[in-house]
Amino acid sequence: MQRSGKTFGSCSRCETVPEKIEGSGGLYLWFPVSHTLKKVISALAKAKLEFQLLEESKCLYVILEGIAREKFSALASSLLTNQELKETKVLWMREAEQPKFSDFYRSTSLDSFINFSQSDWLLDLLSEERITTHFQPIVYTSDTSKIFAHEALLRGIDEQGNLIPPGRIFGQAESAGMIFQLDALARTRAIREAKVHDIKELLFINFSPTSVYDPATCLRMTVQAIDESGIPHSNIVFEVAESQHPPDMDHLIKILMFYREAGFLIAMDDFGSGSSNLNLMHQLRPDFIKLDMQLIRNVHQDYYKALITEKMLEVAAQLEIKTVAEGVETLEEFDWVRERGATFVQGYLIAKPTSPPITTTSYIGSVEAVPMSA
């Protein structure tokens, strides 16, 4: 597919759900230092697990059959430090298979391998696409009966049809190295369900920059889904959800330039939750800033929160950046952000995430101001 002169290829890591680790096989391990290697050899011998030391390649080969994989995972988790687990590189090969040069792209950290081997439920969820999207409205602060946009929020579905909290899904996906596939699937599912529900307002979609290698390839499915849905590019707002990790600024700017050139809008999510937000704001120049819900919680009663949030709203207004107050749950919080010029509001006070999306919201008037605590 071509658009704006760009050719979209494919990204197998972003799109293909990896296979489960099943059957007999072995694990090749390369350790960061010889001390770690000696420690593991001693523990394997005591646990009576089969292994071979391949001195020429400075590699350890551990035979993992049946319950040996679980036994090895438990041993390594208890024996090695977090840094050793992350810096030890491993390659899983099925029984009787010798690694070839082309296999090494599958190598990963020992930490990711252990987490991946405990992620069968997540692999099933992804391969069967047992996910859905709930939508939460974003309304005008000046008139909460007017819906401006909907945020698309991932929900998983277990084998009994019950919803799985997104925190559990994303946490396991990140630790197991499957955030690429989950993030891509969540974006395309959100777009397709927005089309099914015929959402006319703007659609806010979360994405993690760490799940994107190269915009033109990793975001191919997302752009294709948007074009097939017939949703105008100007109706899509991509939220930069990167509050948990310091961003690679050059990489992030490259992704956002790709989005902007394609006609999409940009929002900074969880603004106020990290130390680099002001630096990010001037470099990314977003269309929207979403104030973190932890700042909004009881902002009318906390002098420090109130002062910080008020200044953020002032800066955004002067830069003509629209603001969304997230996580508003009380009338007092709503009245506080409304009086200080927040453009939009989102939270349980307005509506919880639902599927299908709600089409009407109530008008909320002002309440008497509650004095801030000293």
Side-chain angles (χ1 to χ4, degrees):
M1 179 182 75
Q2 291 189 340
R3 184 179 181 88
S4 302
K6 295 179 181 293
T7 299
F8 294 89
S10 62
C11 180
S12 59
R13 183 166 188 182
C14 297
E15 300 175 8
T16 305
V17 177
E19 297 180 358
K20 293 181 183 179
I21 300 173
E22 296 179 315
S24 300
L27 194 66
Y28 291 85
L29 300 100
W30 293 268
F31 298 96
V33 292
S34 58
H35 167 73
T36 306
L37 171 63
K38 292 176 183 177
K39 187 166 56 172
V40 171
I41 288 176
S42 175
L44 290 173
K46 290 180 182 178
K48 298 182 179 180
L49 289 172
E50 293 185 70
F51 65 92
Q52 299 173 17
L53 178 60
L54 310 176
E55 295 188 12
E56 289 186 3
S57 56
K58 298 181 180 179
C59 172
L60 189 66
Y61 178 69
V62 182
I63 301 169
L64 300 180
E65 299 179 353
I67 64 170
R69 187 168 64 247
E70 294 181 11
K71 190 174 181 181
F72 170 78
S73 295
L75 182 150
S77 297
S78 61
L79 179 69
L80 303 181
T81 65
N82 289 335
Q83 185 174 356
E84 287 175 317
L85 289 169
K86 292 182 184 300
E87 293 183 0
T88 298
K89 299 301 179 184
V90 305
L91 176 63
W92 164 262
M93 297 297 298
R94 297 188 185 279
E95 187 178 18
E97 290 184 347
Q98 295 295 320
K100 301 183 291 294
F101 181 78
S102 58
D103 290 315
F104 283 90
Y105 84 95
R106 296 189 294 105
S107 64
T108 185
S109 69
L110 179 54
D111 180 59
S112 290
F113 172 81
I114 292 172
N115 282 296
F116 183 83
S117 65
Q118 299 169 347
S119 300
D120 284 357
W121 68 271
L122 180 58
L123 288 166
D124 289 338
L125 183 143
L126 291 175
S127 62
E128 297 168 13
E129 295 194 10
R130 283 190 281 105
I131 67 169
T132 187
T133 304
H134 283 195
F135 299 91
Q136 188 173 33
I138 298 171
V139 301
Y140 289 86
T141 311
S142 58
D143 185 351
T144 56
S145 67
K146 294 181 179 180
I147 298 176
F148 170 73
H150 296 269
E151 180 178 359
L153 299 163
L154 172 76
R155 296 291 185 267
I157 304 172
D158 66 20
E159 293 178 338
Q160 288 72 46
N162 302 309
L163 292 178
I164 303 173
R168 181 189 174 202
I169 300 173
F170 277 101
Q172 188 66 34
E174 186 167 5
S175 63
M178 289 188 286
I179 195 67
F180 309 94
Q181 297 87 353
L182 177 61
D183 206 60
L185 184 58
R187 291 194 302 267
T188 54
R189 179 56 59 90
I191 294 157
R192 288 167 185 162
E193 293 194 22
K195 173 61 176 178
V196 169
H197 298 304
D198 196 27
I199 292 177
K200 301 299 186 185
E201 298 83 9
L202 269 64
L203 181 66
F204 280 64
I205 301 175
N206 292 281
F207 84 99
S208 172
T210 55
S211 70
V212 177
Y213 282 127
D214 177 72
T217 53
C218 291
L219 300 175
R220 180 190 64 85
M221 287 199 330
T222 303
V223 176
Q224 182 177 340
I226 292 169
D227 289 340
E228 289 176 351
S229 73
I231 299 174
H233 285 204
S234 57
N235 273 23
I236 300 292
V237 183
F238 284 103
E239 295 189 24
V240 182
E242 193 68 1
S243 58
Q244 295 181 350
H245 305 284
D248 178 338
M249 185 57 66
D250 290 339
H251 181 59
L252 185 53
I253 290 174
K254 183 180 179 182
I255 295 171
L256 298 186
M257 283 180 61
F258 173 87
Y259 278 139
R260 286 194 186 283
E261 288 175 3
F264 302 116
L265 300 174
I266 302 298
M268 285 184 62
D269 195 17
D270 300 331
F271 194 80
S273 63
S275 59
S276 61
N277 284 156
L278 290 176
N279 188 42
L280 278 172
M281 183 169 64
H282 94 78
Q283 294 194 62
L284 302 183
R285 314 262 170 122
D287 302 287
F288 302 89
I289 285 174
K290 301 191 75 178
L291 297 173
D292 184 61
M293 65 175 61
Q294 295 305 318
L295 273 181
I296 301 301
R297 185 69 59 250
N298 295 321
V299 65
H300 58 291
Q301 295 178 328
D302 188 312
Y303 177 77
Y304 280 80
K305 280 186 181 182
L307 184 59
I308 293 168
T309 307
E310 191 169 27
K311 295 305 178 185
M312 286 182 176
L313 288 168
E314 287 178 7
V315 170
Q318 291 178 15
L319 295 174
E320 298 184 347
I321 299 172
K322 297 179 177 65
T323 50
V324 182
E326 290 189 287
V328 173
E329 295 186 354
T330 68
L331 288 170
E332 290 79 11
E333 292 168 354
F334 167 74
D335 202 49
W336 192 94
V337 298
R338 182 189 60 80
E339 289 180 355
R340 285 155 183 82
T343 321
F344 307 106
V345 65
Q346 176 183 6
Y348 282 10
L349 178 67
I350 308 302
K352 294 182 178 180
T354 61
S355 180
I358 65 172
T359 57
T360 59
T361 52
S362 300
Y363 176 82
I364 300 175
S366 62
V367 296
E368 289 187 5
V370 178
M372 293 184 294
S373 59

